[in-house]
Structure formats: structure tokens, C-alpha cells
């Protein structure tokens, strides 16, 4: 999301454009961290994350497009903030290797996703419903993050 000359958001794309260096960094760090940490019950296999995140980003993008068309710039600002916070989680958890700091990030993300879903639903009911799977996944991810933190010495 970028702002036009009047401070209104202009949606330029559905996903986050990440270069290959970032993807390689996260993949390598994830392998190192995943092997070293005790996992909480219910931790999914690694192959689950790709399809889940692809589906969630498509839903988030379509929901954002529906809200953007209606001109709800408050909701679009929240959408941008939750994307930004979402982008910080992987480098904190895998790069810094700090489940505790990542837990703080994901709790903020959880709040922002819930607020975004609520404001999206006010603007467009279907857009709000399209955020429900993302909210559920972030709740699950928060449980996993807390479990990693707790099981590995908090």
C-alpha cells in the first residue's frame, strides 16, 4: 500500500514482494531453529505452511481489494500495519532466534488482525469473513509460538 498525493492508500499488489535473499535467509534460519527447538504438541509438518500462507494471502488480498473499492482508508491502514507486523515475525523468530520476542510480535499481530477483521466487516461483510481463517491461523500460530517459548526455557 502506498499513499497518493492526498494521503489515501493505493493498493499496488496483493502479496508482499520479497526478494530471493530474504526467502533464502528465512529458509536457512528456519532449518537451524526447527532442528534445535523442542516443539509443542500440534506442530504441523513444514510442508503445511506453504499452502496455508498462499491461501491466506489470497484471501487477505481479495478482502483488502473489496474494502479498498469502498474507500475505507481506516481499514486499509490497519491492513497495512498488520502486514508490516506479520513481516517482522519470521526474522525475529528465526533470524534473531528469540521465541520470546517473537511472542510479543505475534500478540501484536493477533490484535491487529482482529481489529482489521472487525473494520473490514464493517465496510464489507464478506471481506470481514475472508479474514476469519487468517485470524484462526494467527491464534494457532500464537499457541505454537508460546509453546516454543515455554518448552525451550522461556
Amino acid at each position: 500500500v502506498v499513499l497518493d498525493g492526498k494521503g489515501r492508500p493505493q493498493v499496488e499488489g496483493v502479496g508482499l514482494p520479497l526478494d530471493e535473499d530474504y526467502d533464502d535467509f528465512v529458509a536457512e534460519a528456519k532449518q537451524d531453529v526447527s532442528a534445535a527447538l523442542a516443539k509443542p504438541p500440534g506442530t504441523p509438518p513444514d510442508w503445511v505452511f506453504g499452502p496455508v500462507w498462499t491461501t491466506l494471502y489470497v484471501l487477505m488480498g481479495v478482502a483488502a481489494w473489496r474494502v479498498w473499492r469502498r474507500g475505507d482508508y481506516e481499514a486499509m491502514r490497519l491492513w497495512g500495519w498488520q502486514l508490516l507486523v506479520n513481516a517482522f515475525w519470521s526474522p525475529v523468530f528465526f533470524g534473531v532466534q528469540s521465541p520470546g520476542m517473537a511472542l510479543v510480535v505475534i500478540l501484536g499481530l493477533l490484535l491487529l488482525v482482529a481489529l482489521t477483521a472487525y473494520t473490514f466487516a464493517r465496510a464489507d461483510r464478506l471481506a470481514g469473513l475472508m479474514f476469519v481463517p487468517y485470524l484462526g491461523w494467527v491464534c494457532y500460530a500464537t499457541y505454537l509460538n508460546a509453546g516454543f517459548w515455554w518448552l525451550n526455557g522461556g
Side-chain angles (χ1 to χ4, degrees), residues 73-148:
Y73 303 121
E74 174 193 352
M76 292 307 297
R77 273 191 293 277
L78 280 169
W79 180 76
W81 279 110
Q82 66 80 26
L83 277 179
L84 180 66
V85 173
N86 184 325
F88 277 109
W89 186 87
S90 287
V92 171
F93 189 90
F94 296 114
V96 179
Q97 298 182 7
S98 176
M101 285 175 42
L103 185 57
V104 172
V105 172
I106 205 165
L107 287 169
L109 177 61
L110 186 58
L111 175 64
L112 287 169
V113 171
L115 289 171
T116 304
Y118 174 76
T119 58
F120 271 28
R122 278 192 351 219
D124 180 291
R125 186 170 190 272
L126 181 57
L129 290 173
M130 293 173 88
F131 247 70
V132 171
Y134 180 35
L135 181 59
W137 182 259
V138 174
C139 287
Y140 173 59
T142 302
Y143 153 75
L144 291 174
N145 192 150
F148 276 107

Side-chain angles (χ1 to χ4, degrees), residues 8-23:
R8 296 177 303 211
Q10 304 297 305
V11 178
E12 290 192 345
V14 171
L16 287 175
L18 300 174
D19 65 16
E20 289 180 30
D21 291 338
Y22 177 84
D23 292 341

